Amino acid sequence: AWVFMHEKIRRSRDDVSDCPWLLRSEQTGVFDIEEVNQMNWEVWQGVIETTDVRITCNECSDNEDCNLNGECKRDGSCDCSKDVEGRIFLGPHCEVILKDNCRT
């Protein structure tokens, strides 16, 4: 199974298990996370419930995937805009705005 957990989050104060999962896939021998995209997943929300999980590559296919703050290149990466009205755009999808007055 694929398991997502956080070292500081437990399902209860008494949870001492070796695998305090918050999100897990059904049992699988698959090692590529993109291949478990269509499996049933369980998420901890105070109780165990079934949920849908969408797993996609962190690539752009058009400029909207770059939040219109850059251009999507052929290799699937964003080329973020620089110095637009005193702002620079950063992040894999140009989602972070750094204003000139915030630079150190």
Side-chain angles (χ1 to χ4, degrees), residues 58-92:
N58 195 17
E59 296 177 348
C60 62
S61 57
D62 57 40
N63 291 346
E64 287 182 2
D65 292 336
C66 301
N67 291 298
L68 301 176
N69 296 325
E71 293 184 18
C72 181
K73 299 190 306 186
R74 287 183 182 206
D75 67 0
S77 66
C78 291
D79 183 19
C80 300
S81 301
K82 309 232 179 329
D83 199 24
V84 178
E85 298 176 4
R87 298 176 295 175
I88 293 176
F89 298 92
L90 306 168

Side-chain angles (χ1 to χ4, degrees), residues 88-103:
I88 293 176
F89 298 92
L90 306 168
H93 295 282
C94 308
E95 70 276 14
V96 177
I97 301 171
L98 179 64
K99 296 179 182 178
D100 280 343
N101 60 350
C102 294
R103 294 184 193 179

